[in-house]
Amino acid sequence: MLTEQSAYTNRWRQISPVAKGLVSLFGMVAAFAAGSPRAALLVAIILSLATVLGAGIPPARYLRVATPALFFLLASCLSLLVSLEFNHISTFGVSLHLSESELPRITQVCCRSLACLTALLFLALTTPLTDIISLMRRCKLPETLLDLMTLSYRTLFVLSEAVHETATAQSARLGYATFKLSMRSLGGLVANLAVQVWQRSQALHLSASARGNDGALRFLEPDYPGSHRAILSAVICGILLVVTAVYIP
Amino acid sequence: MSNAILSLKDVSYSYPDGTSALNDCSLTIRRGMRTAVMGANGAGKTTMFLHLNGILRSSAGDIQWEGTSLDYSRDGMRELRSRVGLVFQNPDSQLFSASVREDVSFGPMNLGLPKNVVRKRVEEALLSVGMAESADKPVHNLSYGQKKRVCIAGVLAMEPEVLVLDEPMAGLDAAMQEELTVVLERLHAAGMTIIIATHDLDFAYGWADEAIVLQRGRLLAQGNAADVLLRPEVQTELGSSPLVAEITRSLALTGMAVRVNGYLPRSRSELLKAISEFHRQENEQ
Ligand SMILES: Nc1ncnc2c1ncn2[C@@H]1O[C@H](COP(=O)(O)OP(=O)(O)OP(=O)(O)O)[C@@H](O)[C@H]1O
Ligand SMILES: [Mg+2]
C-alpha cells in the first residue's frame, strides 16, 4: 500500500483535490497534444519532477510504484514494434516482422503513454482515494459506481486484515508446515474468507440501516481552505504545460 | 412506569435458521437512565438491541416508543433510527468509509440535514470522543479502540435520544475505558438515555442506574442495578457478584460498615474513599 501511504503523507495532502485533479487532467491533455516524442517526454519529466520534488515523494518509492506500470508499457511497446505477418513463402505461413517504418509512430505512442502514466501517478500519489471519490462525486459520476468504489476500497483493507489474521492463526498451528498441509490450509483460508465476505457484507448492511440509510451512500465532502487559489494556480500550470507540449518541436 | 422510553412486551424472535433468540421477553428502558444489559453469551442481548432500532422485527409481541407501538414504515424507521442510535460490537463491520470524518458524516447525511449542520455535528461528535485530531486519517490506520470511538462518534453525530452500545468496553485498555466512561458520563449528564450490553459486572455495578439481566432470551431480572446485581439468581446466572460489593460485605463481617455519603460503595474509587472515611471517623472517636 505504498500509494496509499504517500497519498496520506505527502506535502500536498491538504491541497484541494480539485486542483490536483486538474493538473493531472491537463497533464493528460498535454500528453495527447504533444507534437513530438520529445515534447511528450518533457511533459513526463515535468510531471514526475513535480511529484517527487513538489509533493516530496521519495524517488525510490516513486520508482517502485511506477515499475509495474512501466513494465507493462515496455511490453506493449515491444509488441507494437514486432508484428506478425502472414506470408505464403515461409514454411510455417507466419513470420515475425520488425516494422521499421512504424518506428516514429510507435515512439510517439510510447512517450505519450509515459506522460499519461506520470499524470496519473501524480494524482494517485498526492491524493487519497477518498478525496478522488468525492472529486468524482462532484463531477456527477453515477452514484452506484462511486458507492461501489467506496465499499471495495474499505473492504480491501478489512479483507486483507482477515486474510492476514487467518493465515497467521493457521501457521501458528503448523498449517503451512508441509506442502500438503499448505494446500489444505489455503483451501480452508479461501472457504473461510468466502463466509467472512458474506457475513461482513451482511453486517455492513445492518449498520448502514441502523444509521438511517436507505439507498445511496452519502458522505460529507471535505473542506479545503484556500482552494480557489490552488485551483487557479493549477489551471495556470496546466495551461502552461499544454502550451509547452504543443510548441516544443 | 411513567418515564418509560422504550419497552418490549412479550417479544419473541427466531433467526431464519430456527434459533430462538428472544422468548416472550418483556422489559422497560427508562428515560435519562443508564441501563446495563447483562447475560451469558448467546443470551440475546445483541438480538434485543437490533429490535430497539427496528433492524429486526419481532415475530410476536410488541415494542413501544413512549407507549406507542413502533411504526415499521419507511418514515417511521427513519424517525426511530434518528432517535435510537446503535453502536455495534465489531467496529470493522460498521465503518465503511475510508476517512474518519467522512464516516462520521454518514448518519447525519442520511437524516437529510443541510451540509453546514452536518459539518458542525461531525466536529462536535469527534471532539466529544476525543478523536478530533484524527479526523483526516484513514479508518484502517486506526487502532481497535480508536475505531470503536469513531463508531460512537458516528452515532452521536445523529444526536439520538437513546444511545445503545453493544459491549463498548470490550477490547479497550484501562485508560481508554476510563476515557469512554467520562464520555458516557457527560452524555448522561446532558440527559441522554444510555443502554450498554456488557460482561463486566464490576463496571455495570459501578456505572448503571438500572440493570436488565437476560437468560436464554427471557428477562431474568430488571430494576435498580445495585439490587438486581446482588440477587442470588442473578449471581448464579452470571457466575459471580461485583467485587466491590463482596469486599464491602466481608468488611462488614469484620465490623467495618463502610459507606460513602450513607450509601454502599459501588465502584473501586468509592470503596477506597469509604474505607478511608471509615478510618477517619474511627480516629476521631
Ligand atoms: N444471524 C444469526 N443467525 C442465527 N442465529 C443467530 C444469529 N445471531 C445470533 N444467533 C443466535 O441467537 C442467540 C442470541 O444471540 P445474541 O447475539 O443476541 O447473544 P448475545 O447475548 O449478544 O451474546 P454475546 O454476549 O456472545 O454477544 C444465540 O443463540 C445465537 O446463536
Ligand atoms: Mg452480542
Side-chain angles (χ1 to χ4, degrees):
Chain A
M1 293 280 119
L2 281 175
T3 327
E4 176 70 13
Q5 218 176 336
S6 308
Y8 276 101
T9 53
N10 74 83
R11 216 178 286 150
W12 287 346
R13 165 79 175 87
Q14 291 307 329
I15 288 182
S16 160
V18 180
K20 291 182 280 193
L22 279 172
V23 169
S24 175
L25 188 70
F26 274 114
M28 276 187 267
V29 172
F32 282 108
S36 65
R38 213 160 5 130
L41 267 186
L42 188 68
V43 170
I45 289 171
I46 291 173
L47 283 170
S48 50
L49 281 184
T51 318
V52 173
L53 299 180
I57 310 288
R61 180 182 293 173
Y62 188 83
L63 282 180
R64 265 186 67 188
V65 173
T67 309
L70 285 176
F71 179 76
F72 278 113
L73 188 61
L74 192 72
S76 41
C77 286
L78 284 181
S79 65
L80 275 181
L81 206 59
V82 177
S83 59
L84 286 180
E85 202 143 283
F86 296 91
N87 65 25
H88 309 283
I89 308 155
S90 134
T91 33
F92 296 108
V94 182
S95 73
L96 283 179
H97 178 80
L98 205 69
S99 35
E100 268 164 62
S101 56
E102 291 287 291
L103 203 58
R105 245 187 59 203
I106 292 170
T107 336
Q108 174 77 330
V109 168
C110 287
C111 291
R112 274 186 182 162
S113 316
L114 189 68
C116 282
L117 176 67
T118 54
L120 276 181
L121 278 180
F122 173 83
L123 187 65
L125 287 170
T126 59
T127 320
L129 199 72
T130 47
D131 282 359
I132 299 183
I133 293 175
S134 71
L135 182 63
M136 292 163 89
R137 183 161 289 146
R138 251 191 256 182
C139 298
K140 303 277 176 257
L141 257 75
E143 285 287 332
T144 324
L145 182 73
L146 298 175
D147 292 350
L148 217 59
M149 279 180 76
T150 310
L151 288 178
S152 334
Y153 178 65
R154 172 83 187 114
T155 314
L156 204 64
F157 291 98
V158 172
L159 272 188
S160 77
E161 213 159 273
V163 170
H164 185 72
E165 275 167 17
T166 316
T168 314
Q170 284 178 328
S171 50
R173 287 189 284 155
L174 296 179
Y176 294 93
T178 66
F179 180 74
K180 209 176 137 198
L181 280 175
S182 301
M183 284 299 114
R184 177 191 282 257
S185 298
L186 207 60
L189 178 71
V190 172
N192 175 272
L193 219 57
V195 176
Q196 286 213 24
V197 170
W198 184 74
Q199 281 183 339
R200 293 221 190 232
S201 60
Q202 202 81 346
L204 274 179
H205 175 69
L206 275 192
S207 66
S209 20
R211 285 206 264 165
N213 185 260
D214 50 11
L217 301 176
R218 284 169 295 245
F219 301 103
L220 194 62
E221 283 142 21
D223 227 4
Y224 286 90
S227 57
H228 290 296
R229 252 184 43 209
I231 292 172
L232 194 67
S233 11
V235 171
I236 295 173
C237 292
I239 291 175
L240 282 179
L241 197 62
V242 176
V243 170
T244 320
V246 173
Y247 287 100
I248 290 280
Chain B
M1 271 171 270
S2 59
N3 53 355
I5 189 162
L6 273 165
S7 50
L8 271 68
K9 294 203 183 341
D10 303 321
V11 169
S12 298
Y13 182 81
S14 301
Y15 279 99
D17 69 348
T19 318
S20 155
L22 290 179
N23 244 318
D24 283 338
C25 184
S26 301
L27 51 89
T28 309
I29 309 290
R30 297 204 286 147
R31 185 180 276 283
M33 292 283 166
R34 292 166 289 195
T35 305
V37 178
M38 307 203 64
N41 288 127
K45 303 181 291 295
T46 303
T47 311
M48 192 265 274
F49 282 180
L50 293 174
H51 278 84
L52 295 183
N53 187 273
I55 292 202
L56 292 181
R57 194 170 175 176
S58 58
S59 40
D62 194 22
I63 302 174
Q64 299 182 334
W65 171 270
E66 289 182 332
T68 39
S69 300
L70 292 191
D71 166 12
Y72 285 91
S73 71
R74 208 183 168 93
D75 288 340
M77 280 299 105
R78 180 185 290 272
E79 176 126 352
L80 179 69
R81 284 167 189 170
S82 69
R83 286 175 164 167
V84 182
L86 178 53
V87 181
F88 291 77
Q89 217 163 329
N90 179 3
D92 267 321
S93 66
Q94 51 193 316
L95 298 170
F96 36 90
S97 175
S99 102
V100 170
R101 183 179 277 119
E102 217 172 77
D103 199 276
V104 174
S105 74
F106 181 68
M109 288 297 275
N110 284 333
L111 293 180
L113 297 167
K115 289 230 168 96
N116 53 340
V117 177
V118 174
R119 192 157 284 144
K120 192 166 137 278
R121 283 193 180 191
V122 168
E123 299 310 319
E124 278 171 6
L126 283 172
L127 213 57
S128 77
V129 297
M131 288 294 293
E133 69 280 12
S134 307
D136 292 312
K137 273 197 166 182
V139 167
H140 49 86
N141 282 353
L142 301 179
S143 77
Y144 185 80
Q146 290 172 325
K147 280 185 198 164
K148 280 212 134 163
R149 290 202 269 174
V150 172
C151 292
I152 295 173
V155 169
L156 286 183
M158 298 174 76
E159 298 189 351
E161 289 171 49
V162 183
L163 181 64
V164 186
L165 302 141
D166 202 349
E167 301 192 24
M169 301 293 183
L172 298 192
D173 65 20
M176 281 260 195
Q177 291 195 5
E178 187 51 45
E179 275 179 42
L180 185 55
T181 316
V182 172
V183 172
L184 293 177
E185 219 35 58
R186 207 162 47 226
L187 295 172
H188 168 69
M192 197 176 274
T193 308
I194 306 177
I195 312 171
I196 289 186
T198 177
H199 289 291
D200 185 344
L201 198 53
D202 295 315
F203 166 75
Y205 188 68
W207 174 81
D209 305 307
E210 300 257 305
I212 288 172
V213 184
L214 296 181
Q215 180 185 40
R216 273 170 274 127
R218 279 177 206 278
L219 182 74
L220 180 68
Q222 150 150 48
N224 185 295
D227 300 337
V228 165
L229 297 178
L230 293 178
R231 284 190 204 160
E233 75 269 22
V234 169
Q235 293 190 7
T236 11
E237 174 64 19
L238 300 180
S240 75
S241 55
L243 185 62
V244 170
E246 273 183 31
I247 294 177
T248 312
R249 197 152 49 205
S250 28
L251 284 178
L253 289 179
T254 67
M256 272 177 79
V258 296
R259 296 282 185 278
V260 267
N261 311 325
Y263 293 99
L264 289 173
R266 295 193 29 195
S267 67
R268 209 174 116 137
S269 56
E270 279 185 358
L271 177 63
L272 294 176
K273 210 163 98 192
I275 292 176
S276 62
E277 178 77 0
F278 183 84
H279 283 306
R280 206 174 48 78
Q281 281 176 358
E282 286 273 277
N283 291 341
E284 276 172 11
Q285 282 166 11

